[in-house]
């Protein structure tokens, strides 16, 4: 037998290697993860409801809700919107069914279709803004009127304009709307009303609507119901189970917008800017003039010299608390005021749900004298018949009632708190009071800096409003007193903030830097010119040919309120400011104002205007200063230019049309 060598036994190979098992496990694991995650995703994807697009046809809305009267408003500060609401609310007392409407939200090209609705009427409450311009929300409607020749036959209309006689283009928007609607074939059922904010806008409106409603009744053959009882527009809802994260705490639009800031920033989404500087400008005197700088770093907000900054102020806490005390109300109750008209685009009078405290602090105007409609609605809550009669009389259109409202409310500067204090029998429900009070509006200031030089900072120059009223009370301007108390860094280390946004302006430096510039701005009217000077200085540094830059500034005394004296003298020293003319009105026996200095330099000014293509800018008080300055330029055109008065007026008007005579004024 042959011996064989030892052979190692052969092992059977396993079906799967370790690597195979690992890869297989990994694939199975991924499949299970994918399946489970897919299932979870399917379960968590919410079922989105199809969003119903907002109704842009006011005609269809009127038909659907059985309305025959629509009141449109062109409003910049809220007054025209308020008047519009009052008219649409009054409609049912006069046999009409009204709705208020923002022309920006509807297709105004449908206006001719109003004739499809029997006994229909369109009313327009149109404010004039700036230099005879439409308000922002009425711009598209204004463009439509200008560009279209639609036939408005069968369309009944009436217009009430809101303006200010101190401005050059008094009630331009109201006048144009009234004239244009007639030109297009519309039928005017009552004369154009023109309210003057320099006089008594409330009285003008009440007088107009006292005549307007009888004209409506006569035209449509309807009768007034004679029912003067209060008509509530909103119902009070007090939620029982409320998530405080869903409660508004002062935001203008989006909930929690102050916690998570998202651009772009505008009226409904203001930016919370930190206060970087807050210093007093005047050395002495009984007034407080201040310079405030708001830090806009990271906001993506851009601004130009001459633009305006809007700030949302907060009411005085002591006034809020006192109102709550008098009305025996728990100010921290969470409430919602819901519109009884479910079809209305305006669901609440202010952001809801919120607390009474927040509403009175952030959303409602409790400082200005209440309008007559508020007094009328409150009268029912007075337990003393004499107080009831007084309130109703002040809300009437009678001469005696108008006189009483003028003296007791307006002249005495009684706000809602003063009315409640001086009429102890008056105890309205706090929810009705909140429904009636107008919204607290943003305050606008001419920006006192240049966006090219200070792109991350917006400056404000303002005087604190504070005076004694005839009742012995102190009237404190809401915004300026609130701004005055904005400490840069508080005791607990928090930085003070201001909700703000920028509003564009037409108040602009000339396109060509070589054009001469003449700036006239007494007091805080100097604000935009600080921005202009910064920009002209920046242009000079860029090597540009910068024309003559002349400033006429006015204040009371050199050692009291010569605002920005150091900065202005430095601009003059650097050659940025060619000529600095300052009128100190009270430093000598006879008062000297900017117009006196203009007259003194009339030959040079006429050469700049007539020969050198200079641009003129006036900023400040519209009632006296701007008018006096304009008259002075008429005189210069006559005395130096040899024009007649009629020619001088036409000459200045032509400068305005060409954008060479610009105004940034207030009354």
């Amino acid at each position: 037998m042959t011996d064989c060598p030892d052979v190692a036994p052969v092992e059977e190979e396993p079906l799967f290697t370790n690597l195979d098992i690992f890869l297989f496990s990994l694939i199975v694991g991924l499949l299970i993860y994918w399946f489970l995650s897919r299932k979870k995703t399917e379960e968590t994807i919410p079922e989105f409801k199809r969003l119903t697009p907002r109704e842009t046809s006011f005609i269809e809305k009127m038909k659907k809700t059985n309305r025959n009267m629509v009141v449109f408003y062109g409003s910049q500060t809220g007054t025209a919107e308020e008047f519009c609401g009052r008219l649409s609310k009054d409609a049912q007392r006069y046999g009409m069914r009204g709705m208020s409407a923002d022309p920006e939200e509807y297709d105004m090209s449908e206006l001719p279709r109003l004739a499809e609705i029997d006994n229909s009427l369109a009313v327009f409450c149109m404010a004039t803004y700036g230099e005879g311009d439409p308000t922002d929300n009425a711009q598209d409607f204004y463009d439509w009127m200008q560009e279209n020749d639609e036939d408005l036959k069968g369309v009944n209309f009436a217009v009430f304009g809101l303006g200010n006689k101190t401005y050059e283009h008094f009630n331009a928007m109201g006048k144009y709307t009234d004239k244009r609607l007639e030109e297009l074939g519309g039928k005017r059922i009552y004369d154009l009303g023109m309210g003057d904010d320099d006089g008594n806008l409330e009285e003008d409106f009440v007088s107009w609507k006292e005549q307007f409603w009888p004209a409506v009744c006569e035209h449509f053959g309807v009768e007034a119901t004679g029912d003067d009882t209060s008509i509530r527009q909103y119902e009070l809802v007090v939620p029982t189970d409320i998530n405080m994260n869903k409660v508004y705490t002062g935001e203008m639009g989006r909930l929690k917008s102050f916690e998570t800031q998202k651009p772009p920033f505008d009226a409904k989404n203001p930016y919370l800017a930190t206060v970087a500087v807050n210093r007093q400008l005047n050395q002495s005197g009984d007034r407080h003039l201040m310079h405030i700088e708001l830090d806009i770093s990271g906001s993506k907000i851009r601004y130009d010299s001459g633009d305006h900054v809007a700030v949302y102020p907060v009411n005085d806490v002591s006034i809020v608390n006192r109102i709550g005390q008098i009305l025996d109300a728990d100010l921290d109750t969470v409430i919602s005021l819901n519109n009884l008209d479910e079809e209305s685009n305006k669901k609440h009078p202010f952001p809801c749900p919120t607390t009474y405290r927040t509403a009175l602090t952030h959303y409602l105007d409790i400082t200005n004298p209440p309008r007559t409609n508020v007094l009328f609605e409150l009268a029912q809550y007075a337990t003393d018949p004499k107080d009831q009669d007084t309130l109703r009389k002040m809300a009437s259109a009678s001469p005696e009632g108008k006189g009483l409202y003028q003296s007791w409310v307006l002249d005495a500067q009684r706000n809602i708190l003063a009315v409640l204090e001086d009429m102890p029998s008056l105890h309205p429900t706090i929810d009705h009071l909140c429904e009636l009070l107008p919204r607290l509006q943003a305050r606008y200031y001419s920006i006192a800096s240049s966006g090219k030089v200070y792109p991350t900072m917006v400056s404000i120059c303002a005087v604190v409003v504070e005076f004694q009223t005839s009742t012995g009370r102190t009237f404190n301007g809401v915004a300026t007193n609130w701004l005055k108390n904005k400490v840069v860094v508080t005791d607990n280390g928090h930085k003070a903030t201001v909700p703000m946004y920028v509003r564009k302006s037409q108040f602009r430096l000339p396109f060509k830097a070589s054009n001469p510039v003449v700036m006239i701005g007494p007091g805080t009217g100097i604000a935009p010119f600080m921005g202009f000077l910064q920009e002209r200085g920046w242009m000079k540094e860029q090597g540009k040919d910068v024309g003559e830059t002349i400033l006429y500034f006015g204040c009371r005394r050199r050692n009291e309120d010569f605002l920005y004296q150091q900065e202005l003298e430095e601009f003059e020293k650097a050659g940025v400011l060619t000529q600095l003319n300052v009128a100190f009105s009270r430093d000598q026996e006879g008062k000297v104002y900017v117009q006196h200095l203009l007259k003194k330099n009339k030959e040079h000014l006429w050469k700049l205007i007539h020969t050198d293509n200079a641009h003129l800018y006036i900023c400040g008080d519209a009632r006296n200063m701007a008018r006096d300055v304009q008259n002075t330029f008429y005189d210069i055109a006559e005395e130096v230019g040899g024009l007649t008065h009629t020619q001088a007026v036409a000459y200045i008007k032509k400068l305005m049309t060409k954008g060479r005579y610009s105004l940034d004024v207030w009354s």
Side-chain angles (χ1 to χ4, degrees), residues 388-557:
Q388 273 194 21
D389 290 344
T390 301
L391 288 165
R392 288 201 174 106
K393 186 184 287 181
M394 286 191 290
S396 74
S398 70
E400 188 185 355
K402 288 177 182 176
L404 187 58
Y405 176 73
Q406 180 69 44
S407 60
W408 198 81
V409 177
L410 297 182
D411 294 345
Q413 280 288 333
R414 276 186 173 88
N415 59 23
I416 192 62
L417 174 57
V419 171
L420 293 170
E421 286 177 337
D422 294 348
M423 283 193 170
S425 86
L426 182 59
H427 280 278
T429 60
I430 190 167
D431 62 290
H432 198 178
L433 181 66
C434 288
E435 174 182 324
L436 293 169
L437 291 173
R439 283 292 295 269
L440 180 61
Q441 298 295 325
R443 300 315 200 252
Y444 297 97
Y445 298 95
S446 302
I447 297 177
S449 52
S450 163
K452 288 186 172 65
V453 182
Y454 297 104
T456 62
M457 204 70 72
V458 167
S459 297
I460 293 172
C461 170
V463 58
V464 174
V465 177
E466 186 178 346
F467 57 86
Q468 288 293 115
T469 71
S470 58
T471 65
R473 295 178 173 92
T474 301
F475 179 92
N476 290 316
V478 177
T480 52
N481 280 276
W482 172 70
L483 286 170
K484 176 188 173 186
N485 295 317
K486 286 285 176 185
V487 183
V488 175
V489 181
T490 58
D491 294 337
N492 57 12
H494 286 302
K495 290 183 177 179
T497 56
V498 170
M500 55 74 71
Y501 68 94
V502 167
R503 184 175 72 181
K504 292 295 174 186
S505 160
Q506 299 300 315
F507 203 69
R508 288 279 181 270
L509 278 169
F511 180 73
K512 285 174 67 178
S514 57
N515 283 122
V517 164
V518 179
M519 305 170 289
I520 302 146
T524 56
I526 195 175
F529 303 137
M530 294 306 294
F532 280 15
L533 287 167
Q534 289 167 9
E535 195 150 321
R536 298 280 270 191
W538 176 80
M539 287 174 179
K540 210 172 174 69
E541 286 173 8
Q542 303 291 309
K544 291 186 180 178
D545 176 20
V546 179
E548 281 193 62
T549 306
I550 298 166
L551 174 67
Y552 285 85
F553 173 66
C555 60
R556 292 179 179 179
R557 296 181 178 88

Side-chain angles (χ1 to χ4, degrees), residues 124 206 244 272 338 366 379 432 509 521 575 586 664:
F124 297 84
V206 170
M244 293 308 287
L272 215 52
N338 299 341
I366 60 174
H432 198 178
L509 278 169
R586 303 182 187 183
D664 181 3

Side-chain angles (χ1 to χ4, degrees), residues 343-394:
E343 297 296 328
S344 174
N345 285 353
K346 190 176 181 180
K347 302 301 180 189
H348 313 283
F350 43 78
C352 289
T354 189
T355 64
Y356 287 124
R357 186 181 304 282
T358 299
L360 291 169
T361 305
H362 294 274
Y363 299 138
L364 298 171
D365 186 345
I366 60 174
T367 303
N368 282 314
R371 296 198 186 278
T372 58
N373 66 304
V374 177
L375 302 181
F376 177 82
E377 297 273 2
L378 292 181
Q380 62 185 303
Y381 295 105
T383 54
D384 184 338
K386 284 184 180 175
D387 287 346
Q388 273 194 21
D389 290 344
T390 301
L391 288 165
R392 288 201 174 106
K393 186 184 287 181
M394 286 191 290

Side-chain angles (χ1 to χ4, degrees), residues 189-208:
I189 67 151
Y190 188 61
D191 297 339
L192 166 68
M194 290 198 286
D196 178 18
D197 199 30
D198 188 48
N200 186 334
L201 188 59
E202 175 69 13
E203 183 181 317
D204 295 337
F205 177 64
V206 170
S207 299
W208 179 80

Side-chain angles (χ1 to χ4, degrees), residues 6-21:
D6 291 339
V7 177
V10 178
E11 292 181 13
E12 282 191 85
E13 290 224 5
L15 192 62
F16 298 109
T17 65
N18 288 339
L19 181 62
D20 291 333
I21 293 166

Side-chain angles (χ1 to χ4, degrees), residues 169-232:
H169 307 280
F170 173 59
N171 255 313
M173 190 58 187
K175 290 173 183 174
Y176 178 77
T177 303
D178 183 69
K179 174 173 165 279
R180 186 63 179 145
L181 293 178
E182 185 183 44
E183 286 174 353
L184 293 173
K187 182 175 175 59
R188 183 189 297 106
I189 67 151
Y190 188 61
D191 297 339
L192 166 68
M194 290 198 286
D196 178 18
D197 199 30
D198 188 48
N200 186 334
L201 188 59
E202 175 69 13
E203 183 181 317
D204 295 337
F205 177 64
V206 170
S207 299
W208 179 80
K209 74 184 183 82
E210 284 292 314
Q211 302 300 315
F212 163 75
W213 284 119
V216 169
C217 292
E218 184 181 344
H219 182 83
F220 294 111
V222 293
E223 289 185 9
T225 61
D227 183 10
D228 277 347
T229 55
S230 173
I231 302 167
R232 287 295 295 264

